[in-house]
Amino acid sequence: MDTVSIPFRDKEIECASREKIEAIQLEALRRQVEHALKTDFYSKRFAKAGITGPQDIKTLSDISRLPFTTKGDLREAYPFGLLAVPQSEVVRVHASSGTTGTPTVIYLTQKDLDLASDTMARSLTAAGGSKNDIIQNMMTYGLFTGGLCFHYGAELMGAMVIPTSAGNTLRQLKFMKDFGTTMIHATPSYLLHLHSAIEESDELKREDLRLQKAITGAEPHSEELRQKIQDALGIEVYNCFGMSEMNGPGVAFECIFRSGMHVWEDRYIAEILDPDTMEPVADGETGELVLTILCRDAMPLIRYRTRDLTRFIPGPCACGRTHRRLARFTGRTDDMLIINGVNVFPSQIEEVLLKTPGVGSNYLIVVEKTGALDKLTVQVEITPAMFADDARVINALRDHLKAEMQALITINPAIEIRQPGSLPVSEGKAKRVEDRRTAL
Ligand code: ADP
Ligand code: ZN
């Protein structure tokens, strides 16, 4: 039988005993608690919870004494309320995708950035990546961590990185062919789109590409969809979980066995809690993922409620790593929509509608799949007076809504104007979103 060689960046840590991992976590948690007290935000929060310093954290289970942090807290602390070092120490800022208004930002010192890159490099190595790879990063560069944070990690691993960023599929294909790209990083929707583009191309065939692996994440997708992409492109597809609040991609990553994402427990404490009681669920049960970052100086984040639903996969992994694995995400506890990788809150759409004269009282947000991509349609009732107006006025309203929404959520929605009273009115809680996507 062939023996599979299993790649590691830091085998001692990646395969450390549970005792060792927990000892690292306890020490780091105590340090983070002490450090967090330097921020206005946590000094107030901790005081309320009766936490005065690291001496209150005697064992790992004392984490349950610490208060949670939410996205709302991050917005309130914008821009510098969670800064725990002098501002002159900060070298980079990132923000969560898609959200405007008050964004949730993170800041990093050079040391934070180096560690984040190391975590990313460790993840890519676990997936079988190496300095021999030619990696094309098709995630948006800019505030979104999927661009730069992934990029720095891939460079640290020693790969040759092509920062094409998102979109421009024909150019993506040209670079993939000309440079012999072996690994790509893209959303699952974009991977399917890329496959269709290859099928439709007259100039390029699958055989012209050296592509072996894709790293994917940023939006929920099913095991069936992974399989479909793997079969269509003839590659291995690796699931990667990340969020900007936790330094971006690479928080949890699949190894070459692709059976769940190892969450790097020397750098994060992952809890899975019942979202109603906020108590731990039974081992292997699904609940909300709550994360504490253990090694960030510029911006500590303690017990951050991700709103993502997942579970720990019980038992050891064939690779020998001891860091526990997270199962594929099954949804969220809040109403955030992820549309082609971009986070959108229905409240952002409502904000535009409410401030636009001529818009009536009812609307419906419809999300569906068209081919590989998600499509967002906003059905809008207009007022009787507006409805009586001529077509030019109505078209102008449609264009206005489209432009305003695109500016706010960075996604181009279709706007369907509806006559007053035509959309269903639900008894009780209004149903504003119809998500018609299945995972495939
Ligand atoms: P990203 O766009 O990389 O996901 P954001 O910080 O903008 O980063 O959004 C984070 C959210 O994206 C997560 O809370 C989660 O809901 C979703 N997400 C990220 N990676 C995955 C993944 N592999 N599977 C499912 N959902 C994911
Ligand atoms: Zn493994």
Side-chain angles (χ1 to χ4, degrees), residues 71 95-98 104 139 144-146 216-221 239-246 248-249 252 261 306-308 328-332 336 338 341-343:
K71 212 176 188 63
S96 179
S97 68
T104 51
M139 294 284 197
F144 176 46
T145 48
T216 199
E219 60 189 25
H221 56 290
N239 194 8
C240 154
F241 163 67
M243 62 194 326
S244 61
E245 295 90 325
M246 292 290 144
M261 301 177 284
T306 67
R307 310 282 173 180
D308 288 310
R328 205 166 271 291
F329 289 21
T330 51
R332 298 181 53 83
M336 186 175 95
I338 303 184
V342 176
N343 303 346

Side-chain angles (χ1 to χ4, degrees), residues 11 33 51 111 117 136 145-146 149 154 177 232 266 270 363 366 392-393 400 440:
K11 189 169 180 185
V33 165
I51 302 285
K111 188 171 145 228
S117 302
Q136 199 163 318
T145 48
C149 291
K177 180 180 169 199
D266 57 323
Y363 69 92
V366 179
R392 260 187 325 192
V393 178
H400 172 78
L440 254 183

Side-chain angles (χ1 to χ4, degrees), residues 392-423:
R392 260 187 325 192
V393 178
I394 294 179
N395 285 341
L397 174 70
R398 183 189 297 118
D399 292 347
H400 172 78
L401 287 173
K402 203 173 161 70
E404 287 276 298
M405 279 182 206
Q406 190 175 6
L408 194 66
I409 62 178
T410 74
I411 282 181
N412 194 3
I415 307 286
E416 284 177 16
I417 299 289
R418 294 298 175 93
Q419 84 185 66
S422 63
L423 289 175

